[in-house]
Amino acid sequence: MAGYIAIEEAIAIPGLAERRPPFPVPSGMDPAFVADVVRRLPDVTELRLPDMDANGIAMQVLSLTVPGIEADPDPARAVANAGYVNDSLAAIVAAHPDRFAAFAALPLQDPAAAVAELRRAVGELGFKGVLVNDHIQGRYLDDPAFDPVWATLVDLDVPLYLHPGMPPADSWHVLSGHPEMDGALWSWQATTGGHAMRIVLSGVFDRHPRARMILGHAGEFLPFQLSRFDSRYATLSTPAPLLRSPSQYFGSNVLATTSGILAPAAIEALVHVLGPEAVLFAVDYPYERTGAAVAALEQADLPEEVKHRIGSDNARALLRL
């Protein structure tokens, strides 16, 4: 099929680096890969659109690449830079309205300001949701301070995409001596999945039953452990029990994308676990190759109608594209 809508697609905003302090760059990556990503991240017309055209991508939903706004320790600067990023993204979408949409960056260091920017980004700029790069200075989205953000997402009827972030909130001894495990190969999925479980187990979706959270990378390990979550949760005595079993929030409140998942069998399993209405296509451009992401879905042993739902129909419905 053609006409894919890819919803976890990173972009760098020119000028942002000069507006904030430098952040550490992951080490150990192939220099040729880094050079290619650095060339592609800020680009729109020279490389990105031709890549989309060559691989049948009708639209990308753009979001600010890591480390994002969340990594800045200065709340006032985060507020200013979130506005700068969202205005820049809006200009790209306005120049190519049929090819791009956007998820907003939020200054969650200041929850009240984040709510105001969320309302501006969706109500005035036409954004389709928000993307959060994991933790906010060591704070997670189950913190009661972020309840107004969840309430506003519900009020605006837009989702939150929970994405891996950097630098990490803390140091894991299990990574010691194995820097290759730190990042997209393993630790990002584990930490982002842990963040998502905090959100589920804290009752965010009981307090906000219409809220929706999207997880990339086939749900960051989580969908394939749902039966264990339920069996172990049933053995616990908790002060504020969930209204449902943990697994019942997945497929309704918690959705997943195919970003970075290049194995057709894994996509088949994800659809089997969550249901075809809860899986959306994504590439993770430019960190993954568009052609490989498309091939993984096309080669999956799924009905064509289901592939269409994953490839574009679910995104059109969820994001009102």
Side-chain angles (χ1 to χ4, degrees), residues 195-219:
H195 186 169
M197 286 303 294
R198 290 177 65 106
I199 292 168
V200 171
L201 295 175
S202 69
V204 164
F205 299 123
D206 289 340
R207 297 192 299 277
H208 307 284
R210 292 192 295 113
R212 287 152 303 169
M213 174 175 66
I214 308 171
L215 300 175
H217 318 110

Side-chain angles (χ1 to χ4, degrees), residues 3-30:
Y4 289 94
I5 298 174
I7 73 166
E8 187 193 316
E9 317 311 319
I11 192 166
I13 301 301
L16 179 61
E18 291 74 36
R19 296 171 59 97
R20 63 186 186 185
F23 297 104
V25 177
S27 60
M29 289 193 291
D30 175 36

Side-chain angles (χ1 to χ4, degrees), residues 208-230:
H208 307 284
R210 292 192 295 113
R212 287 152 303 169
M213 174 175 66
I214 308 171
L215 300 175
H217 318 110
E220 311 291 11
F221 297 164
L222 302 181
F224 307 116
Q225 300 188 62
L226 296 185
S227 64
R228 182 162 179 81
F229 295 154
D230 287 352

Side-chain angles (χ1 to χ4, degrees), residues 47-59:
L47 301 170
R48 190 180 298 259
L49 280 169
D51 181 87
M52 293 166 62
D53 291 340
N55 292 288
I57 307 297
M59 177 175 284

